Amino acid sequence: MQNSASHIKVAVDAIVFGYAKNDGVSVLLIQRKYDPFKNSWAIPGGFVLEDESLEEAVRRELLEETGIEVNYLEQLYTFGDPGRDPRQRIIAISYFGLVKTSQYQELKASTDAENAKWFNIKKLPALAFDHKKILATAIERLRNKVRYQPIGFELLDKKFPFSDLEKLYTALLDRELNRRNFSKKILSFGFLEETGELSRPEGKGRPGKMFRFNAHRYKELLKEGFHFEI
Amino acid sequence: MQNSASHIKVAVDAIVFGYAKNDGVSVLLIQRKYDPFKNSWAIPGGFVLEDESLEEAVRRELLEETGIEVNYLEQLYTFGDPGRDPRQRIIAISYFGLVKTSQYQELKASTDAENAKWFNIKKLPALAFDHKKILATAIERLRNKVRYQPIGFELLDKKFPFSDLEKLYTALLDRELNRRNFSKKILSFGFLEETGELSRPEGKGRPGKMFRFNAHRYKELLKEGFHFEI
DNA sequence: TCAAAAGTGTTTCACTTACACCCATGA
DNA sequence: TCATGGGTGTAAGTGAAACACTTTTGA
């Protein structure tokens, strides 16, 4: 390890997913104000400051650029090929975040976020830099991870009717699920609890029981060697 | 994204695993020649040059410091907390590599590698910086990944007796496997082919058939929706 | 001929899948 | 009372796990 000077710069990016029953799975993008790629849509992010951790940098940039505070955040991948930014060498450490439905709704109201917008992951605009590739990596991670870790709950409100969970998984996995088998499986795990409330039906139909994810119980199950898989 | 000057530096690290029937699973470490942590053992790595990709940087550093060329390489995780290096802020993009048994044997002969050594992952020395944490992350990744991707073959020679594979998995998963069920399962996948040769028995015992991993066949199976899992 | 390792089939059990009818509510 | 979505049990099929004896070789 020699101590050479370097002009490589370090940035973080955040691919944040949200979910709404009617909009499906969406990702949070911002519209660039300056060149290069002026007016293009891009993944929110920015340079890391000297004395903050990578995760702090992500949360700070997200708040500044979109007004959003994520509920779940994990590192995704580091993109660092020369030439990914036409101006200079930039290493982008990308993170993967999830927000709850209620936060998702609030974006429209936020003043910081005039140039931030949710895009359904099936209807994406052209993206700046190599952000298309980064986003594809994030979507792949989301689709894989949701199958063996209960991160789906991070996209729903604290209390939700079972049908929301089913719709979310149908959207994420992009295939129909058998309602009976799906609920049998999820409920057999034992980390969902009924709140005792019923959902107010929107329009017609029988109201469903409301559920809550018990993270504490889930951790206990993990210790006992339990393995979650859809 | 503002264009602020930064003194954060960018390095890559490589956690390289090797396997030998009698030594078990080992990791490649180097002994530091200078302070800080002079004489401590550390994960090989170094700074990224302006015009090379991250992966090129990893391969270059590995070759310079240990003389090893890896057979399999994937990005692991990026460590970037302030304070992980006492001198300055360094972002370390760590990679995860595997070498074949034959390469593993050659380390002793390499002249570049006077201060490089294999350590059994159950008998690790104290490590410099936050390398203990990095190595723990790598071992966890290895243990998880070997269960759902056929990376085990990257640690064996091109041709190997079935018992080598079984011993490798026993070492990696750290539990006894049922020989009949294990071979039934692996062979049923259809990506192993017999070479027609027999292993020369070392000492006593019946010689075993030699096998080869057919990567092409494996890719075909993936396209057909096949899912590998131990 | 003995010790050591390789090779092989069948039964049992658990889990996954498929499938259809009744219930509660708003309009 | 009808349309809509919620809630539930059982049988069949499939894949995993358990299990012991025979074969080939070197000493």
Side-chain angles (χ1 to χ4, degrees):
Chain A
M1 267 222 262
Q2 71 209 26
N3 199 343
S4 64
S6 162
H7 299 100
I8 302 178
K9 297 180 79 179
V10 178
V12 288
D13 281 343
I15 300 92
V16 176
F17 294 104
Y19 173 72
K21 230 173 300 183
N22 307 314
D23 285 351
V25 181
S26 299
V27 63
L28 183 59
L29 299 175
I30 56 164
Q31 192 161 30
R32 287 180 58 79
K33 288 180 180 164
Y34 310 105
D35 266 323
F37 296 99
K38 184 173 173 181
N39 297 325
S40 277
W41 291 91
I43 296 167
F47 292 113
V48 177
L49 302 181
E50 284 292 335
D51 54 356
E52 67 185 351
S53 72
L54 300 176
E55 196 174 312
E56 282 163 1
V58 176
R59 291 184 188 273
R60 178 182 52 73
E61 288 285 351
L62 263 181
L63 199 56
E64 287 173 13
E65 295 187 339
T66 71
I68 286 280
E69 294 187 58
V70 295
N71 183 41
Y72 176 90
L73 191 66
E74 70 170 42
Q75 196 181 293
L76 175 66
Y77 197 84
T78 298
F79 296 85
D81 278 350
R84 54 178 296 280
D85 187 305
R87 294 164 296 182
Q88 67 194 302
R89 180 87 186 263
I90 296 182
I91 304 289
I93 302 147
S94 58
Y95 278 73
F96 165 98
L98 302 174
V99 301
K100 293 209 178 276
T101 306
S102 46
Q103 277 262 330
Y104 179 89
Q105 310 293 357
E106 280 165 22
L107 183 57
K108 289 143 196 160
S110 167
T111 51
D112 304 320
E114 5 178 276
N115 61 338
K117 208 176 131 184
W118 291 104
F119 286 85
N120 184 296
I121 59 171
K122 290 188 163 179
K123 296 169 199 161
L124 293 169
L127 295 179
F129 305 105
D130 58 350
H131 288 189
K132 185 178 174 181
K133 186 173 156 194
I134 298 180
L135 185 48
T137 306
I139 292 173
E140 197 189 332
R141 170 82 63 99
L142 176 63
R143 290 221 165 103
N144 286 327
K145 194 135 194 177
V146 80
R147 292 183 48 199
Y148 63 89
Q149 240 177 270
I151 54 171
F153 304 105
E154 311 295 342
L155 286 164
L156 299 174
D157 281 327
K158 282 206 175 123
K159 299 174 183 179
F160 52 87
F162 202 88
S163 57
D164 276 17
L165 187 65
E166 193 200 328
K167 279 174 199 142
L168 171 62
Y169 271 84
T170 303
L172 284 171
L173 301 177
D174 207 17
R175 62 184 166 91
E176 290 306 311
L177 294 168
N178 181 301
R179 183 158 47 100
R180 272 163 297 181
N181 290 339
F182 181 72
S183 79
K184 219 187 307 178
K185 183 165 205 168
I186 298 281
L187 291 177
S188 75
F189 292 148
F191 52 60
L192 279 195
E193 50 190 30
E194 298 186 19
T195 68
E197 296 155 276
L198 293 181
S199 67
R200 311 181 192 75
E202 304 148 15
K204 296 179 179 176
R206 177 174 172 174
K209 294 177 186 169
M210 297 293 276
F211 289 87
R212 181 195 296 124
F213 175 63
N214 186 334
H216 181 254
R217 180 80 189 110
Y218 173 66
K219 274 173 207 152
E220 278 182 358
L221 287 168
L222 279 187
K223 277 180 207 152
E224 294 165 19
F226 159 83
H227 177 65
F228 173 82
E229 182 133 18
I230 302 291
Chain B
M1 266 220 264
Q2 71 208 25
N3 200 343
S4 64
S6 163
H7 300 100
I8 301 177
K9 297 179 80 175
V10 178
V12 287
D13 281 345
I15 301 90
V16 176
F17 294 103
Y19 173 73
K21 230 171 301 183
N22 307 314
D23 285 351
V25 181
S26 299
V27 63
L28 183 59
L29 299 175
I30 57 163
Q31 192 162 30
R32 288 180 58 80
K33 288 179 180 164
Y34 310 105
D35 266 322
F37 297 100
K38 185 172 173 179
N39 296 325
S40 277
W41 291 92
I43 296 167
F47 291 112
V48 177
L49 303 181
E50 285 291 335
D51 54 356
E52 67 185 350
S53 71
L54 300 176
E55 195 173 310
E56 282 164 2
V58 176
R59 291 185 188 273
R60 177 182 52 72
E61 288 285 351
L62 264 180
L63 199 57
E64 287 174 14
E65 295 188 340
T66 71
I68 285 279
E69 293 186 57
V70 295
N71 183 40
Y72 177 89
L73 191 66
E74 70 171 40
Q75 195 182 294
L76 175 66
Y77 197 83
T78 298
F79 296 85
D81 279 349
R84 52 178 298 280
D85 187 305
R87 295 163 295 182
Q88 66 194 301
R89 180 86 185 264
I90 296 182
I91 304 289
I93 302 146
S94 58
Y95 278 75
F96 164 98
L98 303 174
V99 301
K100 292 210 179 276
T101 305
S102 45
Q103 277 260 332
Y104 178 89
Q105 310 293 356
E106 280 166 22
L107 183 57
K108 289 145 199 161
S110 166
T111 51
D112 304 320
E114 2 175 279
N115 61 337
K117 208 175 132 185
W118 291 104
F119 286 85
N120 184 297
I121 59 171
K122 291 187 164 180
K123 295 170 199 160
L124 293 169
L127 294 180
F129 305 105
D130 58 351
H131 288 189
K132 185 177 174 183
K133 186 174 156 193
I134 299 180
L135 184 47
T137 306
I139 291 173
E140 196 190 332
R141 170 81 64 100
L142 176 63
R143 290 221 164 105
N144 285 327
K145 194 135 194 176
V146 79
R147 292 183 48 198
Y148 63 89
Q149 240 177 269
I151 55 171
F153 304 105
E154 311 295 343
L155 286 164
L156 299 175
D157 281 328
K158 282 207 175 123
K159 298 174 185 180
F160 52 87
F162 202 87
S163 57
D164 276 16
L165 187 65
E166 194 200 327
K167 278 174 200 142
L168 171 62
Y169 271 84
T170 303
L172 283 172
L173 302 177
D174 205 18
R175 64 184 165 92
E176 290 305 311
L177 294 167
N178 180 301
R179 185 157 45 103
R180 272 164 295 181
N181 290 340
F182 181 72
S183 80
K184 219 187 304 179
K185 182 165 205 169
I186 298 280
L187 291 177
S188 75
F189 291 148
F191 52 60
L192 280 196
E193 48 190 32
E194 298 186 19
T195 68
E197 297 154 276
L198 291 181
S199 67
R200 313 180 191 74
E202 304 147 16
K204 296 179 179 178
R206 176 175 173 174
K209 296 175 185 170
M210 298 293 275
F211 289 86
R212 179 195 297 126
F213 175 63
N214 185 336
H216 180 253
R217 180 80 189 109
Y218 172 67
K219 275 173 204 151
E220 277 182 358
L221 287 168
L222 279 187
K223 277 182 207 152
E224 295 165 17
F226 158 84
H227 178 67
F228 174 82
E229 181 132 18
I230 301 293

